[in-house]
Amino acid sequence: MPVKIYLAGPEVFLSNAREMLDVKAALAREAGFTPISPGDLLIPPADTKIEHGCNINAVDEQMMIEADAVIANLTPFRGIAADTGTSYELGFMCALGKPVFAYTNVAANHFTRIMRYYGDVSTQDETGRYRGADGLSIENFDMADNLMLHGGIVRRGGVVVVSDAPADALYTDLTAFKECLAIAARKLL
Amino acid sequence: MPVKIYLAGPEVFLSNAREMLDVKAALAREAGFTPISPGDLLIPPADTKIEHGCNINAVDEQMMIEADAVIANLTPFRGIAADTGTSYELGFMCALGKPVFAYTNVAANHFTRIMRYYGDVSTQDETGRYRGADGLSIENFDMADNLMLHGGIVRRGGVVVVSDAPADALYTDLTAFKECLAIAARKLL
């Protein structure tokens, strides 16, 4: 039985999206998986933008339902945290009880990135919790992103592979993806 | 039978988190629901930060499994998009097939916020897709956030209530939350 793996991540937004999705799919095939990528299917036409977005959601959710596992690219996207669509998909697969694996191309962890967001200025409240100038607490769990994401993966026996890609290859460097694939292959194949 | 509603959102990070969670829970009770909020239970102690984070994830996921529905606060958090933890939780509840409702306190939609991120400078590629200076495509679906989130809600018959809170009440204004509660109550109670 082929093991189908859903490749979640913000690659769909790249100017070379098709190429990147194809390269990741080829690597997944080489590792022994049957890859499923968002954007692989034709999207049914729609009368409104919202309906069009809903049609894409429907196709992607169906792909996740058919997949046996997921590798999610949690590289921070347009800001300090993972892409929200990828975060949704990771939660979706965790709820379905499917094996989950993830990677990020940014070595600085969630805490470090939030600290930078606050210009590395923070205070500690009476419970020892770090807070930014706006009073918001700064999660400090040695994790790559919000604890729901990283914790959801670790608790299911998955891994979060952390790499340190050059700034100009943040969404194209595949070092961490390959390592993630190898780990997933050892667990699932 | 009480209908249990999980209150997802970045309120847990506020300096007055307890107060805000309590106010939201009280409003949910007034609307006829049994509220469940992250942070309501004692978290088992742990030896490492990662284990502690995992314990919080476990408690929150258990709450979602016990809940009958969710109201997610998708107000942009430390950037232009929703909190990644809340995005994960929304995907989790969608996969479980539970009714989902959401709101945001920022009226500018996902497209408008991404455009602002690029200083309102964009180009259109040969397919008509808008792209930022970094080449990344700018989702243009009249949605409040990434299409997986907004589409996942709409496709399930839920709503995304959009409000326009003052900047200093972005995480405390409850106008949209109350409207969302009223809609959820009409559908579920």
Side-chain angles (χ1 to χ4, degrees):
Chain A
M1 279 286 284
V3 177
K4 289 180 229 145
I5 198 148
Y6 183 75
L7 305 177
E11 286 82 5
V12 290
F13 301 115
L14 295 174
S15 54
N16 64 341
R18 186 68 272 154
E19 181 195 341
M20 278 305 296
L21 293 168
D22 287 347
V23 170
K24 288 182 78 173
L27 287 167
R29 251 179 242 111
E30 272 174 42
F33 291 104
T34 299
I36 311 182
S37 310
D40 270 5
L41 289 183
L42 287 175
I43 305 297
D47 290 334
T48 68
K49 288 181 189 178
I50 288 192
E51 279 172 47
H52 186 210
C54 285
N55 286 349
I56 300 174
N57 168 284
V59 166
D60 289 355
E61 287 193 6
Q62 188 55 40
M63 285 180 177
M64 289 194 281
I65 289 165
E66 287 167 17
D68 299 299
V70 63
I71 294 182
N73 178 357
L74 299 182
T75 304
F77 185 68
R78 287 184 186 138
I80 58 171
D83 167 45
T84 50
T86 304
S87 305
Y88 174 100
E89 293 181 346
L90 180 61
F92 196 93
M93 292 298 271
C94 283
L96 294 182
K98 309 209 179 186
V100 289
F101 304 89
Y103 68 96
T104 171
N105 280 340
V106 170
N109 71 11
H110 192 48
F111 177 77
T112 303
R113 298 196 312 273
I114 303 175
M115 286 291 283
R116 282 184 197 157
Y117 173 84
Y118 289 117
D120 286 315
V121 176
S122 69
T123 54
Q124 274 185 285
D125 68 17
E126 62 284 3
T127 67
R129 204 171 296 201
Y130 290 92
R131 292 193 176 275
D134 55 9
L136 294 173
S137 74
I138 302 171
E139 269 194 82
N140 184 17
F141 295 107
D142 271 346
M143 288 182 165
D145 207 291
N146 181 289
L147 64 86
M148 291 307 294
L149 284 67
H150 195 128
I153 295 163
V154 170
R155 283 209 312 118
R156 287 169 173 82
V159 292
V160 182
V161 175
V162 177
S163 181
D164 191 10
D168 63 355
L170 216 50
Y171 303 111
T172 52
D173 188 294
L174 293 169
T175 314
F177 174 66
K178 287 178 194 167
E179 190 180 332
C180 211
L181 260 181
I183 292 166
R186 280 199 297 276
K187 293 224 180 197
L188 304 179
L189 301 179
Chain B
M1 278 285 286
V3 176
K4 290 180 227 143
I5 199 148
Y6 183 75
L7 304 178
E11 286 81 6
V12 290
F13 301 115
L14 295 174
S15 54
N16 64 340
R18 185 68 273 152
E19 181 194 342
M20 279 305 297
L21 292 168
D22 287 347
V23 170
K24 288 182 79 171
L27 288 167
R29 250 179 243 111
E30 272 175 41
F33 291 104
T34 299
I36 310 182
S37 310
D40 270 4
L41 289 182
L42 287 174
I43 304 298
D47 289 335
T48 68
K49 289 181 187 176
I50 288 192
E51 278 172 46
H52 186 209
C54 286
N55 286 348
I56 299 174
N57 168 283
V59 167
D60 288 355
E61 287 194 5
Q62 188 55 40
M63 285 179 176
M64 289 194 282
I65 288 165
E66 286 167 16
D68 299 300
V70 62
I71 294 181
N73 177 357
L74 299 181
T75 303
F77 185 69
R78 286 183 187 139
I80 58 171
D83 168 45
T84 50
T86 304
S87 305
Y88 174 100
E89 294 180 347
L90 180 60
F92 196 94
M93 293 298 270
C94 284
L96 294 182
K98 308 209 180 185
V100 289
F101 304 89
Y103 68 97
T104 172
N105 281 340
V106 170
N109 71 10
H110 192 49
F111 177 77
T112 303
R113 298 197 310 274
I114 303 175
M115 286 291 282
R116 281 184 198 157
Y117 174 84
Y118 290 118
D120 285 315
V121 176
S122 68
T123 55
Q124 272 186 286
D125 68 17
E126 62 284 3
T127 68
R129 203 171 298 200
Y130 291 91
R131 293 191 177 276
D134 55 10
L136 294 172
S137 74
I138 302 171
E139 269 195 86
N140 184 18
F141 294 107
D142 271 346
M143 289 182 166
D145 206 293
N146 181 289
L147 66 86
M148 291 308 294
L149 283 67
H150 195 127
I153 295 163
V154 170
R155 284 210 309 118
R156 287 170 173 80
V159 292
V160 182
V161 175
V162 177
S163 181
D164 192 11
D168 63 356
L170 216 50
Y171 303 112
T172 52
D173 188 294
L174 294 169
T175 313
F177 174 67
K178 286 177 195 167
E179 191 179 332
C180 211
L181 261 180
I183 293 167
R186 280 199 296 277
K187 292 224 179 196
L188 303 179
L189 301 180

